[in-house]
Amino acid sequence: EEGSNPSLLDRFGIISWNMLAESYTSPRSHRHLPKRYQKVVFDPKLRREVLKSILIKLAEEGDILCLQEVDLHDLVEKSLSDEGFIGISTPKTNGGGAGGRFDSCCIYWNKQNWELLDQELIRFDDLATSINEKDNVNDHPVENKSSSEMASTPTLESNLQGFTLSFLRRNVGMLVRLRSRIDKSLIIVVANAHLFWNPLYDYVKLCQAHYLALRCKRFSGNEDHPVILCGDLNSKPGGPVHTYFTQGRVNAKLCAPWYDNGDRDEKIEDLSNIIESTRGLFEGLNLERSPSSPLRYILDFTLNRFCRWLRILGIDAALETDEEEIERTKNGNLVIFARCRDEGRTLITTSSKLLQRKDCPPGAYLMNPKTQNNLEVALVHLLTSHGAKLQPKFFLTRCVICNGQIKEVKDLEKRKCVLMAHSAPLSIVEDDKLDCFQCCGCGQGFWWCDSPTSSASRVKEQAARLFKLCLRAGILTHGPLHMFDFINVEEERKQPLELDVNLKATVEVVDWLKQIDLKCPLELESSYALRDEAGASIGECKPFTNVTHDFVGFLDYVFYNKQHLELSGRLNIPGSFKELNENREFNAHLLPSDVWPSDHLAVGAQFSINKLFHN
């Protein structure tokens, strides 16, 4: 697209391309390619020749190249240096709790047109460990791409717990500040990143995107430089990351898999208002349905006691069975993963190895084995991290044995049968005024006894103790107190939390994922934006940038400051399988091919600086 606006400065082009690392290219990862494709794609020598030719062509089209999945550094450096480009790359990583990455992100620029002023490395693993305080976003210098030194990344810390282990993915990004050699007053900021691949982990990718934007904003400082953000974001149009960048805000809570995002609190409140109250101990409680919060958990077999505590607080908490635990530990059959998916539950486990599996359900929560000696700390950390809202009217409405819901037994004959089946004293059986309850799951019977040594009194005392602990930790509550109205909520909140836990030191992603209006600090627009008649962005104008045998979608982007930059052209990319397969050969639309060495297409844009803004 050509423009002739005299208020625009000279144009410059920027291209983003996931090259597909050679270490990720194999017949197993890229199936069903035509045989003539396979001869080139799986032959390192032939594929490198095609890579070199493509890099040279891209250098002819753009002044700045943002590359991802670069593991052939010598080839890239030689190919682009011959075209007058220089660049930097993120360091390769080795080892670590989630494994190493030997591919990098790189930014190259035409050295005749641009010079480097500053650079910064972004380690997205920081989200798990090192941003406990808002002013503690550590910077790391980006190593020169010619360096052969292997840079190490933080290993899995022994005290890491919660869902933060999800963020140890070895993904990286980089920022550069470039100044035009033609117009010394023209400075731009370019960001290049490669986000986590797993489509089930939108909450990880959204936090990575937010961290990238925050770092980019801070890197720009007080100077209002134009910003261009590129990369393989592994996020489709209309998804949380795309919405975050193009709309400037997103409901982050919708991404957190431990939330039931259907306004369930309001539905529960409406339901509780129309259900008849029951008598005695459970007066006013909703015994037909008792989810005290939208949280639903499944815990591994080692967390039996902790599971009972959650049930006492009315939280839906299933427990791995003996048989499922044996299947998992001895036969490698992860029934607990299937239950997470089928029942919509969040996994709580003490096994970090489970969380590092590729098939681990999103949102899994690691409970540090050390905290088993202090379950109060674990409870506070879990409920705080997940933004739990406790409802006292649902306390003691879940069976601590099987997680079933407890219902009142009103029929006198059935009541006697329940009491006798559980060896209740004769005085209890013959007391028609005594409230009797039964679990609808395992059939366990319950009855109230005022004796301080009775099991009923002990469980109520335990519920009160846990409730006070949660209040002191600042955990929210909702609804009337009912049988716990003897607790002064405001006074308890003022009491010190006598636990060895610093809630203020919780990693910042915990708070991000509680926000229904997470705002992007940058005002960006996609270079390939599809617009409606009113000019509003409604997606991307091309259907894909990534084409394989099991996935087709738009994942690669060039975002820009629309206030500072004007889009004057786009790199043309295929818009249909027909364009990829002109000869109509079977499966010849798949990538990589004999002429295109990556499963990602390159995307690019040509920009002009608005002269009025520049002045």
Side-chain angles (χ1 to χ4, degrees), residues 399-522:
C399 177
V400 294
I401 298 174
C402 76
N403 195 41
Q405 294 181 18
I406 299 173
K407 295 183 179 181
E408 183 180 11
V409 180
K410 296 183 178 181
D411 182 82
L412 293 179
E413 289 301 320
K414 184 177 180 180
R415 176 182 168 281
K416 289 183 178 181
C417 290
V418 170
L419 294 173
M420 293 176 64
H422 291 86
S423 303
L426 184 60
S427 59
I428 296 293
V429 176
E430 295 179 349
D431 187 352
D432 294 339
K433 295 182 179 180
L434 189 73
D435 293 325
C436 176
F437 304 89
Q438 187 177 33
C439 171
C440 62
C442 66
Q444 175 68 39
F446 303 92
W447 59 91
W448 179 251
C449 180
D450 292 323
S451 172
T453 59
S454 68
S455 59
S457 293
R458 290 198 303 269
V459 74
K460 180 181 178 182
E461 181 181 350
Q462 177 76 309
R465 187 183 71 84
L466 295 176
F467 186 33
K468 290 179 181 179
L469 173 70
C470 293
L471 291 174
R472 295 179 183 186
I475 295 170
L476 299 177
T477 61
H478 178 70
L481 298 179
H482 285 274
M483 65 179 295
F484 296 92
D485 58 3
F486 61 91
I487 295 177
N488 189 321
V489 173
E490 297 306 318
E491 286 300 319
E492 287 297 330
R493 292 198 184 280
K494 296 177 184 179
Q495 300 301 314
L497 181 64
E498 298 177 354
L499 295 176
D500 185 19
V501 57
N502 182 6
L503 295 179
K504 293 183 179 179
T506 303
V507 288
E508 209 165 356
V509 290
V510 171
D511 294 325
W512 294 350
L513 292 171
K514 295 176 184 177
Q515 297 184 31
I516 61 173
D517 189 24
L518 184 68
K519 295 180 180 178
C520 178
L522 307 172

Side-chain angles (χ1 to χ4, degrees), residues 247-303:
Q247 304 299 322
R249 59 183 59 194
V250 71
N251 185 344
K253 200 171 181 179
L254 293 176
C255 295
W258 47 87
Y259 290 119
D260 178 352
N261 297 295
D263 295 323
R264 191 170 176 183
D265 282 345
E266 288 76 6
K267 294 178 182 178
I268 292 172
E269 183 64 26
D270 291 342
L271 185 63
S272 64
N273 289 335
I274 62 174
I275 293 182
E276 181 181 359
S277 297
T278 56
R279 300 179 291 123
L281 171 64
F282 295 91
E283 182 178 0
L285 299 187
N286 176 359
L287 299 178
E288 295 300 316
R289 183 181 182 192
S290 56
S292 68
S293 76
L295 305 172
R296 303 185 76 223
Y297 297 119
I298 183 168
L299 292 77
D300 74 36
F301 185 74
T302 65
L303 295 171

Side-chain angles (χ1 to χ4, degrees), residues 544-564:
F544 51 74
T545 60
N546 180 223
V547 181
T548 64
H549 71 282
D550 59 356
F551 180 82
V552 176
F554 199 102
L555 301 177
D556 305 86
Y557 300 90
V558 177
F559 292 110
Y560 66 97
N561 276 125
K562 55 185 177 183
Q563 299 89 349
H564 308 157

